Amino acid sequence: PDRLASFPDNTITFYDAAGNVIRKNYLSVLDDLRQTIARLEQWGIEPGMRVGILASNSYEWVLHDLALMHLRCTSVAFPDEFGVHSSGELIEKYRLAVLLLSVRDNWPATAPATSTAFIDQENTDVEIQRHTPTTDEEQIFSLTFSSGTAGRIKCLITNERGAEETVANFY
């Protein structure tokens, strides 16, 4: 988050829920990000936890993904195809502390349930699932899904070093 303060004149542009174009400078984004981090911590999100996000692309999605990076959690970004699974199935199979959803989405089977929260509205009494870690390996940065060339969805495990190298090569 602190890197955002290094570029106070840079901006992010996005559409809000009503379809209006919104432009925010990085200092405003930093304020929103700090609030998102505080809210996740208030729910009990801690380093090493896996947090799923099944939501359409949005400003709130980006804020939550950045907040999870800051908190050193493993982000599990589900593509739309996972909307056919129940929240409970996703939480159990991927050992999620919580599954984040958006009120704007309407998935065929995934809906608010125990251990779900919304990225775009206030939540009260978020119930966090606590799973015992299964490995001492380098912290998993994210679980990412890709259909690749085979056309079947696969789960890719990314550690922090791999993510940094990808960003550096892209940049």
Side-chain angles (χ1 to χ4, degrees):
D2 298 330
R3 297 259 319 172
L4 290 169
S6 301
F7 304 96
D9 296 327
N10 287 16
T11 60
I12 182 173
T13 304
F14 59 93
Y15 292 101
D16 67 8
N20 300 310
V21 175
I22 305 295
R23 182 175 301 229
K24 287 190 171 212
N25 66 39
Y26 280 12
L27 293 179
S28 293
V29 174
L30 180 57
D31 288 340
D32 293 343
L33 180 56
R34 286 179 176 148
Q35 290 174 25
T36 303
I37 291 167
R39 185 170 40 257
L40 291 170
E41 288 176 326
Q42 187 177 48
W43 296 346
I45 299 297
E46 300 171 350
M49 288 183 165
R50 286 187 182 180
V51 177
I53 305 175
L54 176 58
S56 298
N57 189 6
S58 66
Y59 177 68
E60 295 84 7
W61 195 105
V62 171
L63 286 177
H64 282 79
D65 198 43
L66 290 172
L68 293 170
M69 282 186 238
H70 175 76
L71 292 171
R72 303 196 62 75
C73 293
T74 299
S75 173
V76 184
F78 294 107
D80 293 353
E81 291 88 345
F82 282 76
V84 299
H85 300 284
S86 74
S87 299
E89 286 176 294
L90 294 175
I91 290 166
E92 185 63 31
K93 182 174 183 175
Y94 294 97
R95 303 172 48 79
L96 304 177
V98 66
L99 175 62
L100 302 175
L101 304 169
S102 170
V103 295
R104 293 182 282 223
D105 293 325
N106 187 16
W107 305 113
T110 310
T114 303
S115 300
T116 62
F118 290 108
I119 60 174
D120 48 1
Q121 85 174 24
E122 290 299 318
N123 299 273
T124 57
D125 300 324
V126 175
E127 185 178 325
I128 300 299
Q129 297 291 316
R130 300 207 178 267
H131 300 279
T132 306
T134 58
T135 180
D136 295 298
E137 295 175 8
E138 185 176 359
Q139 194 219 334
I140 297 171
F141 184 70
S142 68
L143 298 181
T144 308
F145 297 89
S146 171
S147 60
T149 56
R152 263 189 23 216
I153 292 181
K154 295 174 276 307
C155 181
L156 309 171
I157 298 172
T158 306
N159 63 26
E160 189 170 359
R161 194 175 114 224
E164 288 172 353
E165 287 181 20
T166 300
V167 170
N169 288 332
F170 178 77
Y171 184 71

